[in-house]
Amino acid sequence: MHAYAEQEQIPYKTFLLDSWWYTKGKGGGVADWEATSDAFPNGLQAFHQATNWSMQMHNRHWSNNNVYARENGGRYNFTLEDPLSIPTEQRFWDDLIANKTRDGIVVYEQDWMYNEWKGLNATLQSPTLGGTWLTQMGAGAEKSNVGIQYCMTFARMVVHSVQVNAVTQFRAGDDYGPGQTGYFPRTKDPSGETGCHFPYCVYYIGTTSILAWGLDLAPAKDDFWTTKNQSGSPYRNNDGEPYNEMEAAIATYSTGPVQPSDGLGFSNASLILMTCTQHGRLLQPSAPARTIDAAFIEGALGNGSGSLGPVPRTPHNHAVMATHTAVAGHRWLHVLSIGLAKPFQLQPSHVPGELSEEGGSVLGHVAWSGYGRRNVTLFGRFAETAPLHLRACAYADFGLAHAAPVFSRGDSGAVAFLGEVSKFVPVAVARVVGLTMPSDEEPLKIQLEGGPNEEVELAFAVGSNVDQMSVAYVSAKLSQDGTALISAPEVAETLVL
């Protein structure tokens, strides 16, 4: 896989080791959190050194016959029951995670969390043991400068993360499997009408993303295939993924990890590069995409007409999510629509906090859509009296739209920076790091970061005012130190710098 990624110029940086690489014991819990010789004949450290990939390492609940407990010949204190157990001393977590740093661990994934808590009388009866378990885990990770992803959690565990600095993310949706997205003919649903339903719908993370944003965490979406058909996969009849672009877009807008899980030889490198720079840094917004309030109002009080908010194709898999990217005190709006049963007129009042404040140098906002090379469609002004029309859509034809602040150029007219159109997030915090406001004498200037000599193409909207704008493109190459300062064109043209 490493050789294939290099051949296809896919810039993977981190490798997720799921639950297949270590030894299980009683109750399906972990018995020994070391790589088996079948999984890694030369060991994890050798794999890490050969690939230079860092690791997100999965773990699960603890078996009562684990090799670490004193009762089993180990060195650490556990509370043992049948069939599970739980560690009860800080030294265990310090050693467990520190010992994996030589193997390249950067994220410790604690899965099966509610199973650990519900599977023990000790945690059900003690008011503090569950909290101590999480706090000690976090302290051990923090000492080794390792992040934590929570998975299969209760909400109370996610909330407890405010006391655990090492927790950076939690799994916000269900496990992925090709075909689980639903809405197309397959063995379990020949008509293709049943699909998936909340809360077990692998693409939908719009509700849990709200909790994540409030706690300063990334809502992690599970992995996905980047190509539509991967024959010979172990998923038997479910070897098709018709919504690969939608899955990639949601992962990018999660602000969490982006995890392609293709079989060898099946990756879509172009699609993967829509999520990141040429050198693998993710291009994401300032906040995760979150379901808009009007969707909840429609779900609770609406009659299905859409008068109160967007109507989803299936209940509670809300169809419109929004977020923003903040740069130099200004905000660029991004809107995802997925499974929207009826057209919806989105107004600025539906997305409070996601737009720049109008007035002064900000003349208003211009709406647009399109991704891919030179593929911008301008919709004109975005305002209460000029809403953004969100068309009805299913899943493969999902919608992705944006609104950019329009800056005054004095007597020279107006200009808006639309962004890097070849990416899902055209204005991303890792790419656009600053701007210089335009004036009569000076153009709008955009400060970029990326890889050495990376080629980028940017889109701008220019015109005499917000209501009369056209698209202009600028192609440029970043410097050897991976930076560039790009000036907006003054007329609708295509420039190569």
Side-chain angles (χ1 to χ4, degrees):
M1 180 59 76
H2 180 264
Y4 171 68
E6 288 194 327
Q7 171 189 310
E8 298 298 314
Q9 297 183 319
I10 302 172
Y12 294 138
K13 299 299 182 185
T14 302
F15 185 68
L16 168 58
L17 293 175
D18 211 331
S19 60
W20 48 268
W21 60 280
Y22 53 81
T23 303
K24 283 67 168 190
K26 292 183 64 176
V30 60
D32 188 359
W33 201 54
E34 293 291 340
T36 66
S37 59
D38 289 339
F40 290 93
N42 297 319
L44 270 180
Q45 186 175 8
F47 178 82
H48 168 58
Q49 292 173 345
T51 62
N52 201 34
W53 285 347
S54 56
M55 305 284 179
Q56 175 175 322
M57 296 186 182
H58 176 281
N59 202 359
R60 56 175 59 205
H61 48 337
W62 294 97
S63 172
N64 72 353
N65 64 339
N66 72 77
V67 300
Y68 306 100
R70 293 185 186 277
E71 292 85 345
N72 301 328
R75 301 172 51 232
Y76 305 99
N77 294 329
F78 274 68
T79 295
L80 300 182
E81 297 183 13
D82 189 15
L84 301 182
S85 65
I86 190 169
T88 56
E89 66 170 298
Q90 183 62 59
R91 187 172 57 93
F92 168 76
W93 289 106
D94 296 349
D95 293 348
L96 183 80
I97 296 176
N99 288 341
K100 286 294 183 289
T101 57
R102 67 180 184 275
D103 301 331
I105 188 173
V106 293
V107 176
Y108 172 80
E109 180 185 350
Q110 183 60 66
D111 200 356
W112 296 67
M113 293 181 69
Y114 82 83
N115 306 77
E116 176 83 325
W117 188 82
K118 287 187 68 175
L120 291 163
N121 290 321
T123 47
L124 295 175
Q125 295 170 1
S126 170
T128 60
L129 180 57
T132 299
W133 164 53
L134 299 180
T135 301
Q136 289 181 347
M137 181 197 307
E142 189 171 9
K143 290 174 184 177
S144 291
N145 196 30
V146 169
I148 293 177
Q149 181 189 98
Y150 285 171
C151 189
M152 293 177 66
T153 64
F154 288 123
R156 71 196 77 161
M157 296 171 179
V158 177
V159 172
H160 183 84
S161 71
V162 299
Q163 302 179 46
V164 185
N165 293 332
V167 178
T168 59
Q169 55 189 278
F170 70 93
R171 269 282 302 281
D174 197 17
D175 288 353
Y176 175 74
Q180 289 182 7
T181 312
Y183 308 104
F184 70 100
R186 57 200 172 103
T187 303
K188 294 182 180 179
D189 180 19
S191 68
E193 296 177 354
T194 302
C196 54
H197 293 270
F198 180 86
Y200 301 110
C201 207
V202 297
Y203 79 84
Y204 182 68
I205 61 172
T207 299
T208 41
S209 292
I210 298 172
L211 175 62
W213 173 235
L215 296 174
D216 195 25
L217 299 174
K221 181 203 173 300
D222 202 19
D223 60 282
F224 60 97
W225 281 3
T226 65
T227 51
K228 293 185 176 182
N229 295 292
Q230 300 195 17
S231 59
S233 82
Y235 295 101
R236 304 178 189 88
N237 294 323
N238 290 337
D239 60 358
E241 178 50 87
Y243 313 124
N244 53 327
E245 288 192 14
M246 181 199 74
E247 295 271 357
I250 292 172
T252 308
Y253 275 97
S254 73
T255 68
V258 174
Q259 303 175 153
S261 58
D262 305 297
L264 185 63
F266 286 104
S267 294
N268 183 338
S270 297
L271 180 60
I272 293 170
L273 284 169
M274 292 178 66
T275 74
C276 64
T277 70
Q278 177 183 318
H279 297 80
R281 186 169 184 187
L282 294 178
L283 296 175
Q284 298 181 303
S286 297
R290 306 168 316 281
T291 296
I292 63 173
D293 290 348
F296 294 110
I297 296 172
E298 172 64 34
L301 304 175
N303 58 10
S305 68
S307 61
L308 298 181
V311 178
R313 288 168 65 100
T314 59
H316 311 300
N317 287 336
H318 297 295
V320 177
M321 295 176 282
T323 185
H324 69 272
T325 301
V327 180
H330 299 284
R331 296 191 172 197
W332 281 253
L333 169 71
H334 315 289
V335 180
L336 273 167
S337 49
I338 300 170
L340 182 60
K342 299 180 179 182
F344 181 70
Q345 305 303 313
L346 184 81
Q347 298 173 300
S349 57
H350 289 128
V351 286
E354 312 287 10
L355 293 163
S356 292
E357 291 188 15
E358 297 186 4
S361 61
V362 180
L363 302 178
H365 290 82
V366 62
W368 65 278
S369 71
Y371 57 86
R373 190 171 186 267
R374 299 182 187 176
N375 189 30
V376 170
T377 299
L378 290 179
F379 297 135
R381 183 189 292 269
F382 177 52
E384 288 297 305
T385 56
L388 173 60
H389 176 78
L390 301 181
R391 57 176 173 77
C393 63
Y395 305 92
D397 62 338
F398 71 100
L400 179 58
H402 315 272
V406 180
F407 302 119
S408 171
R409 296 192 298 168
D411 295 335
S412 300
V415 60
F417 174 56
L418 305 183
E420 190 176 4
V421 186
S422 63
K423 308 297 183 181
F424 282 119
V425 182
V427 181
V429 292
R431 176 72 90 196
V432 184
V433 296
L435 62 84
T436 302
M437 296 295 288
S439 66
D440 285 329
E441 295 78 25
E442 294 292 332
L444 173 67
K445 295 180 180 179
I446 306 298
Q447 185 177 351
L448 305 178
E449 288 186 356
N453 303 314
E454 185 174 4
E455 295 181 355
V456 298
E457 184 171 74
L458 308 179
F460 296 83
V462 296
S464 58
N465 56 60
V466 181
D467 299 302
Q468 295 180 330
M469 306 193 83
S470 301
V471 180
Y473 298 98
V474 176
S475 297
K477 179 181 287 188
L478 304 189
S479 65
Q480 184 61 37
D481 68 357
T483 64
L485 186 63
I486 306 298
S487 296
E490 296 186 3
V491 297
E493 59 185 352
T494 298
L495 300 178
V496 179
L497 303 181

